């Protein structure tokens, strides 16, 4: 086969998404095209850990140069890869005010990622949770106070480096004030330059800690660039602000190119040219790789894109990939890591109201699902009932009710709160059973939307780890962990 490599292809990282029926083979054409063209790497979503390791071994072995293999691992390698260790959401970690725990979370995430052949972690989230109506950040952020978030970000980056992976702060210059979701629209943040200093504080901390990359926000900030361009396309935000004022010298990567916040009113190809010209080094998640490469070539020829800018980006990509070159090494899913993750999740649970407790005798588990209906299924909900059964709890349709409400941040919802239908179902249950206990698998601040619940436990998110932690708290059984009540305000 003739050499089809194109230097510009190294600016692109297409997606490989696991499918339960085909594994990664549904993306075989993307894999072959990427390797033949010499793309800079790939971003992975989902998969069995062993299959991920097999895929990345192949990619690293066959690639013409060291690859960047990235993944969204804000909640540990187990967030994406079944069999690796999951971690609590960032807000849950930060609620412990334990920087050592956050540092260990970053180290564990990176160590397991490298064991699976993933060398670029798209974390930590540096956004400050400044807007409760934000439909996309929520528990992904370390909190509401810029200085405290900065300390958490620093600890996480330090841990990630100790684990051997590249760390990526996101979403520059901050997605925490938006009331729109950049997956579906281009949000505009009207805060003043002085107000935005709060948003920038964690990014400054990430840079000081040596973060290897920054991911841009598809969000417009008129106080930073009055042209109306989102940060991804803004030479002012990526040049004078990020490179010069903040002193960042690493990789700048776009948020996903498929998002409407970037391509609204234009094409992916045009946005790609403008993003590179503005200062982005890596184009993440392009849908039409050949079209993007052709657009970059045309822009070089007609002067819209300078050769020096392209070479600068290619140099940064090569340098970053060289620092983490090689296939997977090390182990994952160690028992001590799993136990630590569950103990940490248990520590993060919070009594919001009253005295939540497990009903006496047989239990009727009432699940209220507020996360279904989008393009991707919610986390499986089998961990909670399975953990109850392991703890010896009898589940019966005629038992005493226990309510679990799942309401995670989901991009497609366009809202941060609990749906009217879910709220109505909770009211119905509390009217019939005033002393019923409810576990809220979402941000504890949503308790204001559940005024009729007398006994409420906050569990931050609906992933399996938090489900298991909820059962451990209720039953006092934690597989050898300290008592579920230890260190908690019950």
């Amino acid at each position: 086969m003739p050499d089809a490599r194109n230097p510009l292809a190294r600016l692109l990282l297409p997606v490989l998404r696991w499918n339960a029926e085909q594994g990664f083979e549904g993306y075989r054409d993307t894999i072959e095209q990427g390797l033949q063209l010499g793309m800079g790497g790939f971003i992975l979503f989902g998969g069995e850990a062993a299959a991920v390791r097999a895929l990345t071994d192949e990619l690293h072995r066959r690639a013409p140069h060291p690859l960047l293999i990235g993944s969204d691992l804000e909640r540990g390698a187990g967030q994406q890869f079944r069999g690796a260790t999951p971690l609590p959401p960032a807000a849950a970690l930060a609620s412990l005010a334990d920087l050592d725990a956050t540092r260990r979370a970053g180290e564990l995430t990176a160590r397991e990622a490298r064991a699976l052949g993933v060398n670029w972690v798209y974390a930590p989230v540096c956004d400050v949770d400044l807007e409760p109506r934000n439909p996309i950040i929520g528990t992904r952020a370390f909190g509401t106070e810029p200085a405290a978030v900065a300390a958490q970000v620093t600890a996480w980056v330090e841990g990630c480096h100790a684990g051997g992976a590249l760390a990526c702060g996101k979403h520059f210059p901050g997605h925490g004030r938006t009331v729109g979701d950049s997956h579906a629209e281009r949000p505009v943040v009207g805060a003043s330059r002085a107000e935005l200093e709060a948003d920038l504080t964690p990014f400054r901390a990430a840079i000081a800690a040596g973060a290897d990359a920054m991911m841009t926000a598809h969000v417009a900030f008129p106080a930073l660039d009055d042209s109306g361009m989102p940060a991804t396309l803004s030479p002012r935000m990526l040049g004078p602000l990020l490179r010069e004022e903040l002193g960042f010298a690493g990789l700048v990567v776009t948020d996903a190119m498929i998002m409407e916040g970037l391509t609204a009113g234009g094409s992916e190809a045009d946005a790609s040219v403008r993003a590179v010209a503005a200062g982005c080094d890596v184009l993440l998640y392009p849908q039409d790789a050949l079209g993007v490469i052709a657009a970059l070539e045309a822009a070089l020829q007609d002067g819209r894109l300078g050769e020096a800018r392209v070479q600068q980006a290619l140099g940064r990509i090569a340098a970053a990939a060289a620092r983490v070159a090689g296939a997977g090494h090390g182990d994952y899913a160690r028992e001590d890591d799993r136990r630590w993750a569950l103990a940490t999740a248990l520590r993060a649970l919070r009594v919001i109201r009253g005295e939540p407790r497990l009903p006496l005798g047989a239990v009727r588990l009432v699940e209220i699902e507020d996360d279904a209906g989008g393009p991707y299924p919610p986390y499986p909900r089998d961990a909670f009932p399975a953990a109850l059964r392991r703890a010896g709890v009898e589940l019966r349709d005629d038992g005493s009710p226990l309510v679990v409400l799942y309401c995670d941040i989901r991009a497609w919802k366009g809202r941060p709160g609990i749906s009217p239908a879910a709220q109505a179902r909770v009211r119905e249950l509390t009217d019939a059973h005033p002393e019923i206990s409810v576990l809220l698998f979402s941000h504890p601040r949503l308790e204001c939307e559940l005024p009729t619940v007398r006994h409420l436990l906050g569990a931050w998110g609906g992933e399996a780890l938090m489900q298991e932690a909820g059962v451990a708290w209720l039953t006092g059984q934690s597989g050898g962990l300290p008592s579920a009540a230890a260190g908690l305000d019950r």
Side-chain angles (χ1 to χ4, degrees):
M1 180 180 298
D3 188 352
R5 279 181 284 180
N6 185 317
L8 293 172
R10 200 165 184 185
L11 301 176
L12 280 62
L13 264 68
V15 69
L16 304 178
R17 192 179 288 276
W18 170 269
N19 177 281
E21 287 73 38
Q22 297 178 287
F24 289 109
E25 287 305 303
Y27 282 82
R28 178 51 60 179
D29 289 347
T30 302
I31 292 169
E32 296 303 326
Q33 180 188 67
L35 294 172
Q36 290 172 18
L37 290 173
M39 290 186 191
F42 301 88
I43 175 174
L44 306 186
F45 285 98
E48 302 284 350
V52 173
R53 174 69 176 264
L55 171 67
T56 59
D57 281 351
E58 175 193 354
L59 297 176
H60 287 298
R61 183 182 71 253
R62 294 181 56 197
H65 47 238
L67 293 178
L68 293 170
I69 307 291
S71 189
D72 283 320
L73 305 180
E74 298 169 17
R75 297 185 299 282
Q79 175 184 342
Q80 295 288 348
F81 309 129
R82 193 173 302 117
T85 305
L87 294 173
L93 272 178
S95 74
L96 302 175
D98 181 352
L99 294 179
D100 287 338
T102 302
R103 194 172 291 107
R104 179 166 177 175
E107 185 275 333
L108 173 56
T109 300
R111 172 162 46 83
E112 291 201 334
R114 291 305 307 269
L116 299 178
V118 174
N119 52 30
W120 192 5
V121 178
Y122 298 131
V125 169
C126 297
D127 307 315
V128 185
D129 185 20
L130 294 167
E131 173 52 75
R133 295 174 297 164
N134 194 309
I136 190 59
I137 300 301
T139 58
R140 299 172 65 195
F142 283 112
T144 61
E145 297 297 326
V149 173
Q152 294 284 331
V153 164
T154 297
W156 202 99
V157 171
E158 291 171 349
C160 185
H161 286 161
L166 302 177
C168 180
K170 60 186 190 183
H171 308 80
F172 181 84
H175 212 314
R177 294 181 189 269
T178 63
V179 293
D181 173 16
S182 56
H183 290 81
E185 61 181 272
R186 181 176 296 173
V188 177
V189 172
S192 69
R193 176 63 179 83
E195 290 172 320
L196 290 172
E197 187 55 39
D199 308 58
L200 293 171
T201 298
F203 291 97
R204 293 182 187 275
I207 293 167
D212 308 275
M214 286 289 159
M215 181 181 289
T216 59
H218 301 330
V219 177
F221 300 83
L224 302 177
D225 184 344
D226 60 8
S227 71
M229 289 298 98
T232 305
L233 304 181
S234 171
R236 299 183 198 176
M237 283 187 258
L238 301 186
L241 180 58
L242 179 59
R243 294 296 188 189
E244 297 172 21
E245 181 180 336
L246 272 64
F248 181 64
L251 276 176
V252 174
V253 56
T254 70
D255 205 343
M257 301 292 294
I258 62 170
M259 294 164 62
E260 288 294 323
L262 179 65
T263 58
S267 68
E268 177 186 67
D270 178 64
S272 298
V273 170
R274 295 170 66 193
V276 175
C280 293
D281 303 309
V282 179
L283 303 172
L284 189 66
Y285 205 157
Q287 290 184 293
D288 178 10
L290 292 178
V292 168
I293 292 170
L296 293 172
E297 289 178 326
L300 276 172
Q301 293 173 1
D302 65 21
R304 287 175 294 141
L305 186 59
E307 180 67 31
R309 169 79 272 272
V310 170
Q311 292 304 317
Q312 182 185 56
L314 291 171
R316 290 187 182 127
I317 292 168
R323 293 201 301 274
V324 288
H329 60 275
D331 56 4
Y332 60 91
R334 298 190 324 204
E335 182 60 25
D336 62 330
D337 290 331
R338 169 67 183 172
R339 287 166 55 82
W340 177 82
L342 182 55
T344 302
L346 189 59
R347 289 173 59 201
L349 299 188
R350 289 292 175 265
V351 174
I352 300 172
R353 201 180 297 150
E355 297 182 0
R357 63 186 61 188
L358 192 67
L360 296 175
V363 170
R364 174 167 65 95
L365 186 60
V366 182
E367 298 176 304
I368 301 176
E369 179 60 76
D370 200 29
D371 293 342
Y376 305 111
Y379 299 113
R381 307 310 193 192
D382 53 356
F384 193 87
L388 282 174
R389 293 189 181 96
R390 287 197 303 272
V393 176
E394 183 182 8
L395 298 181
R396 287 203 326 241
D397 290 343
D398 60 350
S400 299
L402 173 69
V403 178
V404 290
L405 169 56
Y406 297 104
C407 185
D408 271 313
I409 284 284
R410 306 280 286 175
W412 58 268
K413 289 183 180 180
R415 59 172 169 84
I418 304 169
S419 69
Q423 292 183 51
R425 177 62 175 142
V426 172
R427 285 194 301 272
E428 175 187 333
L429 289 161
T430 54
D431 286 347
H433 307 277
E435 295 302 316
I436 199 170
S437 291
V438 176
L439 274 70
L440 173 61
F441 288 98
S442 188
H443 202 297
R445 68 177 170 224
L446 296 187
E447 60 92 12
C448 64
E449 300 182 18
L450 302 171
T452 62
V453 177
R454 296 181 184 178
H455 307 289
L456 185 61
L457 182 68
W460 297 101
E463 51 266 79
L465 176 70
M466 304 311 294
Q467 295 178 48
E468 293 175 4
V471 171
W473 193 94
L474 288 171
T475 63
Q477 299 181 24
S478 48
L481 291 172
S483 167
L488 292 173
D489 178 13
R490 294 190 68 173

